[in-house]
Amino acid sequence: MSQTSELTELYAAIEESARLFEVPYAHDKVQSILTAYQDAIPNSSIAFRMGTGKRYSNDVDWRFTVPPGDVSPYAVALEHGLLERTDHPVSTLLQEVAERHDVNFFGVDFGVAGGLKKMYVAFPADGWLRLSALLDLPSMAPSVAANRDFFTRHGMDGKQIPTLSIDYRHRTVNLYFNGLPTDKDAVRSIFDDLQLPQPSEQLLTLSERAIGAYATLGWESSRIERFSFSIVAQSPADLPVPMEPEIEKFLTGIRHRAADDKFFYYAAASSTGEEIYKIQSYYRFKPWLNPMLESDIAEDQDS
């Protein structure tokens, strides 16, 4: 298949995802993003994702990988007017990470309605970071240091961090921790420490299957805004709980676009006490590009 045909099919899949979830399709925004990163798209891993809750229910997100190079994906976004220039430290965090640490690949997240939202950076398997390395970054959200004791109490301070993401719209950062204990008692303890309502039995059951967890923190508040768990499954039938109706509808409708049966299921709790569930499947699947999935595969091979 030619590159032009592949791109035409990608546009069709993106538009289809908007229609299935009944959200506006901002074709001009999508076109601007894919044009800006057109050199990376042919060889990238591409995934689509949607979620429950007010923040996620009005859009469908897509993400693709970008290889490291002379120009950062953030600089590309500024050049093409996908993000506004700002003096906020969120604008320099990605570059600081890239200058100080080896990068396996970057990623770009965008909504079919909202346009560019986040970028993420993944580290090579032999170069995963620890929390102390992130605390040395001048632009890192101060809430990360403010919660150092929390991370230590729950065994995260010494854990490896395979990737982090930066949300430019909400000015938050996600720190992904690998290999945390996620049994029900450990999760209840995390929720107690965060002063969140006790998690539902559904979230507790899902967390026991988690391959990793991540915390969402910002620059404006010292509080951890969300705490989430990542679960890998082959099909909805593999999940230990029923899937939310809106997620099942979406996944059933666009599943034929997936390049592999594996999908990520996310269970999260926000600082407001709201429980949020998200699904991510792959339009173009390259497992070696996902450090957390790569870790899961390695564990499966060892067992």
Side-chain angles (χ1 to χ4, degrees), residues 29-256:
K29 290 182 181 179
V30 172
Q31 185 177 46
S32 296
I33 293 167
L34 297 187
T35 298
Y37 299 97
Q38 59 184 335
D39 292 340
I41 295 295
N43 298 310
S44 65
S45 177
I46 304 174
F48 46 86
R49 182 175 62 179
M50 57 78 62
T52 64
K54 294 179 181 179
R55 179 169 171 175
Y56 301 98
S57 61
N58 61 353
D59 211 345
V60 177
D61 290 345
W62 284 71
R63 57 171 47 182
F64 56 86
T65 55
V66 178
D70 295 334
V71 181
S72 77
Y74 181 76
V76 172
L78 292 180
E79 179 185 350
H80 289 264
L82 305 176
L83 291 173
E84 294 183 2
R85 295 185 182 275
T86 175
D87 293 331
H88 191 279
V90 72
S91 67
T92 52
L93 181 57
L94 191 74
Q95 188 62 32
E96 287 179 1
V97 173
E99 288 174 350
R100 296 180 179 216
H101 302 285
D102 291 336
V103 173
N104 192 14
F105 62 89
F106 295 103
V108 174
D109 284 19
F110 67 94
V112 300
L116 196 147
K117 296 181 177 179
K118 293 196 297 186
M119 292 184 185
Y120 59 96
V121 53
F123 309 106
D126 59 354
W128 288 2
L129 304 186
R130 299 194 187 276
L131 188 64
S132 56
L134 299 181
L135 292 174
D136 288 338
L137 299 171
S139 296
M140 179 55 70
S143 55
V144 177
N147 285 282
R148 180 81 180 260
D149 288 346
F150 166 83
F151 293 127
T152 300
R153 284 193 298 273
H154 298 282
M156 290 174 248
D157 200 351
K159 292 296 183 180
Q160 292 179 314
I161 298 174
T163 184
L164 65 86
S165 65
I166 303 165
D167 186 325
Y168 293 98
R169 182 174 303 178
H170 295 99
R171 293 182 174 176
T172 58
V173 59
N174 286 341
L175 306 183
Y176 298 80
F177 296 92
N178 186 62
L180 288 184
T182 56
D183 58 88
K184 291 183 178 181
D185 287 342
V187 173
R188 289 191 185 100
S189 177
I190 288 172
F191 276 53
D192 283 342
D193 210 349
L194 294 176
Q195 299 181 340
L196 292 172
Q198 276 299 299
S200 68
E201 190 61 31
Q202 173 167 313
L203 192 150
L204 287 170
T205 302
L206 283 167
S207 68
E208 289 186 304
R209 290 271 303 271
I211 64 167
Y214 62 94
T216 303
L217 306 99
W219 279 261
E220 308 305 321
S221 168
S222 62
R223 187 169 189 179
I224 293 177
E225 297 188 12
R226 284 185 306 283
F227 199 87
S228 310
F229 303 92
S230 304
I231 302 98
V232 175
Q234 291 280 7
S235 74
D238 291 338
L239 291 173
V241 299
M243 192 173 287
E244 288 69 22
E246 59 268 50
I247 288 182
E248 187 171 12
K249 172 187 173 183
F250 173 79
L251 191 59
T252 301
I254 201 170
R255 194 70 178 146
H256 67 282

